[in-house]
Amino acid sequence: MLPLRDLNPTRHRPFATILLIAICAAVYFLVQPTPFASTSADARFEYRYAAIPTEVVHGHPLATCEVGTGILGAASSSIACKQPGGIVPYAPGKHTRLAVITSVFLHASIIHLLGNMLFLWIFGNNIEDRLRPIGYLLFFVAGGIVATIGHVVADGSSRAPVVGASGAIAAVMGAYLIWYPRARVQTLVFFLPVRLPAFIVLLVWLVLQFFTSRGSHVAWVAHVVGFAFGAIVAVLLGRRAPQPSASNTLLI
């Protein structure tokens, strides 16, 4: 089941949603080392700038010897944790908790980026319409932080970097479920385009998270926590979303 677009009009152009998509794309193609291939350079970049659960828990970066030898190179296999000057951090000066935010704007592959941006474009514009750009941006970042913290709580000893906007986008989807449950979403189901109520698309997506394979390298707990956060915020702000008038409606 793949959503393609929603049939839910907005009252304002989604400038903040476009900005978020542009930032994620710019970071991936212009900042991350090798956008079109997965290399050791990408892994090194992620260890330096992405959130890593054990680093978030303990507040300091991993020691050089704690990072995989495939990332550091064969010559690193003999590195000991303690050198004469003490423990050698792999990423000296890394702000391990600020990385919880920077992780949201990093992606592991083009497919990862495109999938996340598709979901953000489909569901983000209406949430931005409700919260307005500044509130929406704050909500997005807060959703990403809460989602990552959820993953850290679930697996605080993990040394694997966590990257992607999925947790923040899951928060957007959770709010969409509360505010626009009956909006129609054009969806591919077994390669057939079908218009489904949003609540079916979103709840199916949520349930599927619990069946994520352990070997998939997907932080599904972050998705679930982000989704729950977005739904709770939407309930607290009021279940009824304002309906756009015909005179100022823009079809996105």
Side-chain angles (χ1 to χ4, degrees), residues 125-202:
N125 57 346
N126 293 103
I127 304 307
E128 177 183 348
D129 206 43
R130 172 70 187 260
L131 297 177
R132 306 302 297 128
I134 299 301
Y136 171 70
L137 290 173
L138 293 174
F139 170 76
F140 182 88
V141 173
I145 293 172
V146 170
T148 302
I149 291 174
H151 174 69
V152 170
V153 170
D155 193 6
S157 63
S158 173
R159 297 175 183 172
V162 182
V163 298
S166 303
I169 296 168
V172 170
M173 294 163 66
Y176 198 103
L177 175 66
I178 300 301
W179 285 334
Y180 308 102
R182 299 192 180 280
R184 295 289 168 172
V185 178
Q186 191 82 18
T187 309
L188 276 182
V189 180
F190 298 113
F191 303 103
L192 296 176
V194 180
R195 291 184 180 181
L196 296 175
F199 76 88
I200 292 178
V201 176
L202 294 171

Side-chain angles (χ1 to χ4, degrees), residues 28-29 35-37 107-115:
Y28 185 76
F29 288 107
F36 299 102
H107 288 83
S109 67
I110 291 179
I111 296 300
H112 187 206
L113 173 69
L114 293 179

Side-chain angles (χ1 to χ4, degrees), residues 27-179:
V27 169
Y28 185 76
F29 288 107
L30 302 178
V31 179
Q32 293 185 229
T34 52
F36 299 102
S38 181
T39 68
S40 59
D42 294 287
R44 288 194 294 270
F45 182 89
E46 290 170 3
Y47 271 94
R48 290 184 181 278
Y49 297 105
I52 299 174
T54 187
E55 290 186 341
V56 176
V57 170
H58 296 103
H60 56 75
L62 290 170
T64 299
C65 65
E66 294 177 296
V67 179
T69 58
I71 295 167
L72 295 172
S76 69
S77 59
S78 62
I79 294 175
C81 270
K82 290 189 177 180
Q83 300 292 329
I87 293 177
V88 179
Y90 179 68
K94 177 180 179 179
H95 196 302
T96 59
R97 274 121 193 205
L98 182 62
V100 170
I101 297 177
T102 58
S103 279
V104 173
F105 301 97
L106 306 178
H107 288 83
S109 67
I110 291 179
I111 296 300
H112 187 206
L113 173 69
L114 293 179
N116 275 351
M117 296 306 100
L118 173 64
F119 276 73
L120 180 58
W121 177 249
I122 292 171
F123 299 109
N125 57 346
N126 293 103
I127 304 307
E128 177 183 348
D129 206 43
R130 172 70 187 260
L131 297 177
R132 306 302 297 128
I134 299 301
Y136 171 70
L137 290 173
L138 293 174
F139 170 76
F140 182 88
V141 173
I145 293 172
V146 170
T148 302
I149 291 174
H151 174 69
V152 170
V153 170
D155 193 6
S157 63
S158 173
R159 297 175 183 172
V162 182
V163 298
S166 303
I169 296 168
V172 170
M173 294 163 66
Y176 198 103
L177 175 66
I178 300 301
W179 285 334

